[in-house]
């Protein structure tokens, strides 16, 4: 199998983490499959490089290629400060309708963590990426729009609301909820995960968060009846994926106290934003956090960090997040053996205690190496 991966190197530390990270991803594939499978990397322009070469931060050609692509990878993109330019990341997500933001969180032995048993955390968060209070329907207190909307709510719908309020709208659709939960269950089934938890605040927001929960159970019953069972029906041990739900506030307590009971999390946009950072903190921070944004056809992998402008060009950045995003991509296309090699290499590199400066600060007795050298160390452990 030869797979084309379109990539945007990105701004700031993007090009250097790519340069150090890409050979590790390729080497893992070569080692695992002896040339039977390979990746073909094709560069697309976006960000500062695109601006220099074309006068446009996000050329139409890049968007057109991504519209019909299956796999893509991006480094971080700076939001240009001048001219009130919109975030390129938000533009990409919206234009390509990348509705699922997926972040796996697991512990690497040796990294300092604020909890006693970070090793029990092995979860993957599926966060809805397009709806909820992120839809951008929000009006400032005292504006004509806010007043008109609030007066309508008060006068026409009988809502008990102060018309001087600032106001935001929280749309949650059946389509948006179901396609997100479908992805989460598909992942659990294909990767042999034990359970999927629908995280919501449906006890308070019945017709948005509660509806998300109900639509989630509906997808499970209608489309995955052979492979899943609800927690209520499971009655003890089962070989099927268990579908359960938890109210968001309780879930924050659960992931701290009983992380081993949770595997795949499917949740709405705002809950997902909070819980992915909270879980990352449980295992020692965002430094080694990979991610992907997906629509129905495209899986667009990216590290979760930004352009780190203060260390850009200094060979100090950690290429770990990009390399782990690469491992996610390999799992996505079924090259699980190559992905496992990367995970094992990362474990060994961290226990070897020669790591980039960001990790040195989180580990006892570690020494700092540069971005390039850390990539080489990882490759040597494959
Ligand atoms: P940032 O993630 O770039 O930096 C936060 C801190 O983490 C800094 O101290 C930085 O030096 C450090 N850091 C980040 N990645 C690192 C790595 N791989 N190795 C070692 N240290 C690392 O976040 P910040 O400063 O808020 O944003 C900087 C720029 O990046 C902004 O223009 C922002 O818009 C953009 N950004 C882009 C993202 C994306 O493309 N997905 C995500 C987040 C920010």
């Amino acid at each position: 199998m030869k797979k084309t991966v379109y990539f945007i190197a990105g701004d700031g530390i993007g090009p250097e983490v790519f340069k150090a990270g890409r050979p590790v991803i390729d080497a893992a594939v070569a080692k695992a499959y002896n040339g039977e499978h390979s990746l073909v990397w094709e560069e697309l322009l976006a960000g500062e490089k695109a601006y220099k070469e074309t006068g446009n931060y996000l050329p139409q050609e890049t968007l057109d290629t991504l519209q019909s692509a299956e796999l893509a990878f991006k480094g971080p993109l700076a939001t240009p400060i001048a001219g009130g330019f919109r975030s390129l990341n938000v533009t990409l997500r919206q234009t390509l309708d990348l509705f699922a933001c997926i972040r796996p969180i697991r512990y690497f032995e040796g990294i300092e963590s604020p909890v006693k048993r970070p090793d029990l955390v092995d979860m993957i968060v599926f966060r809805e990426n397009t709806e909820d209070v992120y839809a951008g329907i929000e009006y400032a207190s005292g504006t004509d729009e806010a007043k008109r909307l609030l007066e309508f709510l008060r006068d026409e719908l009988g809502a008990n609301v102060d018309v001087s309020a600032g106001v935001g709208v929280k749309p949650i659709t059946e389509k948006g909820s179901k396609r997100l939960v479908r992805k989460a269950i598909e992942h659990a089934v294909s990767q042999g995960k034990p359970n999927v938890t629908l995280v919501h605040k449906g006890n308070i927001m019945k017709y948005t968060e509660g509806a998300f929960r109900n639509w989630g159970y509906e997808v499970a019953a209608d489309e995955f009846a052979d492979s899943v069972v609800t927690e209520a029906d499971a009655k003890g041990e089962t070989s099927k994926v268990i579908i359960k739900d938890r109210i968001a506030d309780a879930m924050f307590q659960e992931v701290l106290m009983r992380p081993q009971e949770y595997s795949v999390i499917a949740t709405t946009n705002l809950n997902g934003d909070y819980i992915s950072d909270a879980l990352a903190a449980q295992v020692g921070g965002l430094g080694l956090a990979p991610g992907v944004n997906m629509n129905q056809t495209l899986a667009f992998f990216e590290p979760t960090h930004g352009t780190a402008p203060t260390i850009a060009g200094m060979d100090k950045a950690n290429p770990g997040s990009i390399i782990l995003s690469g491992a996610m991509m390999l799992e996505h296309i079924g090259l699980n053996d190559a992905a496992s090699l990367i995970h094992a290499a990362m474990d060994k590199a961290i226990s070897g205690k020669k790591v980039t400066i960001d990790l040195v600060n989180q580990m006892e007795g570690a020494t700092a190496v540069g971005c390039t050298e850390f990539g080489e160390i990882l490759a040597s452990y494959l």
Side-chain angles (χ1 to χ4, degrees):
M1 170 171 73
K2 246 190 187 158
K3 281 271 184 197
T4 300
V5 185
Y6 293 98
F7 78 97
I8 294 165
D11 302 325
I13 58 169
E16 62 203 271
V17 289
F18 243 103
K19 200 164 163 223
R22 214 175 89 183
V24 180
I25 302 167
D26 285 332
V29 176
K31 175 108 196 253
Y33 307 104
N34 270 323
E36 193 189 330
H37 302 304
S38 60
L39 303 172
V40 181
W41 299 82
E42 300 263 357
E43 184 165 11
L44 297 178
L45 290 177
E48 282 156 20
K49 188 171 180 184
Y51 188 72
K52 274 192 204 127
E53 291 186 19
T54 69
N56 189 343
Y57 282 102
L58 189 54
Q60 191 57 41
E61 200 184 328
T62 295
L63 283 172
D64 290 345
T65 307
L66 289 170
Q67 295 278 13
S68 54
E70 200 185 313
L71 286 181
F73 217 114
K74 67 176 269 301
L77 290 169
T79 300
I81 295 157
F85 198 101
R86 265 182 91 203
S87 155
L88 294 176
N89 292 305
V90 173
T91 308
L92 278 168
R93 266 173 222 165
Q94 288 184 350
T95 313
L96 299 169
D97 192 26
L98 296 164
F99 64 85
C101 174
I102 304 166
R103 290 193 186 164
I105 297 114
R106 75 149 174 116
Y107 179 61
F108 291 91
E109 189 70 43
I111 306 261
E112 267 173 43
S113 153
V115 299
K116 284 188 193 148
R117 293 293 308 272
D119 55 306
L120 296 179
V121 177
D122 183 5
M123 294 182 217
I124 177 160
V125 178
F126 283 69
R127 167 188 171 194
E128 204 290 323
N129 225 2
T130 61
E131 304 194 326
D132 202 348
V133 284
Y134 288 70
I137 311 167
E138 197 180 26
Y139 305 103
S141 162
T143 58
D144 190 42
E145 292 89 344
K147 270 195 237 155
R148 280 165 61 199
L149 180 56
L150 290 164
E151 278 165 8
F152 174 80
L153 292 171
R154 184 193 60 191
D155 301 339
E156 305 286 326
L157 302 180
N160 178 14
V161 64
D162 187 329
V163 293
S164 70
V167 63
V169 178
K170 177 183 172 82
I172 302 264
T173 64
E174 178 174 355
K175 179 185 163 207
S177 303
K178 284 192 168 174
R179 65 184 183 174
L180 185 273
V181 176
R182 184 177 297 119
K183 272 233 176 290
I185 300 179
E186 277 167 0
H187 176 84
V189 171
S190 69
Q191 302 294 317
K193 302 284 183 188
N195 54 64
V196 176
T197 307
L198 308 170
V199 177
H200 60 90
K201 190 72 187 158
N203 54 331
I204 304 298
M205 293 167 270
K206 295 184 194 309
Y207 308 123
T208 50
E209 297 271 330
F212 172 86
R213 168 197 176 274
N214 296 344
W215 286 320
Y217 277 117
E218 255 177 54
V219 175
D222 294 347
E223 300 177 25
F224 298 93
D226 293 342
S227 340
V228 307
V229 60
T230 62
E231 186 176 38
D233 291 337
K235 299 191 176 67
E237 287 297 300
T238 172
S239 55
K240 293 184 173 182
V241 176
I242 294 177
I243 309 291
K244 47 190 173 180
D245 74 281
R246 296 289 181 269
I247 291 173
D249 45 341
M251 186 65 179
F252 276 82
Q253 205 177 109
E254 287 290 285
V255 295
L256 282 166
M257 302 181 71
R258 280 180 282 273
Q260 68 278 18
E261 290 180 16
Y262 298 93
S263 174
V264 178
I265 293 173
T267 190
T268 50
N269 207 336
L270 182 60
N271 292 332
D273 197 0
Y274 294 156
I275 200 122
S276 25
D277 275 25
L279 283 170
Q282 244 173 277
V283 296
L286 286 167
L288 291 169
V292 62
N293 289 296
M294 291 178 83
N295 63 24
Q296 303 291 9
T297 49
L298 171 66
F300 202 166
F301 294 84
E302 63 171 355
T304 53
H305 60 73
T307 59
T310 56
I311 56 165
M314 298 166 84
D315 197 37
K316 282 186 176 171
N318 184 353
S321 184
I322 220 153
I323 292 169
L324 292 170
S325 300
M328 261 185 106
M329 178 175 73
L330 297 175
E331 278 165 8
H332 174 72
I333 56 174
L335 303 184
N336 291 3
D337 291 346
S340 302
L341 286 178
I342 291 178
H343 283 287
M346 189 63 84
D347 285 335
K348 284 182 203 149
I350 289 170
S351 21
K353 298 201 169 188
K354 279 169 86 180
V355 291
T356 45
I357 187 73
D358 56 313
L359 295 181
V360 170
N361 297 335
Q362 282 177 263
M363 292 168 66
E364 227 168 276
T367 49
V369 296
C371 177
T372 313
E373 192 177 345
F374 192 52
E376 288 163 1
I377 291 172
L378 281 164
S380 74
Y381 284 130
L382 287 170

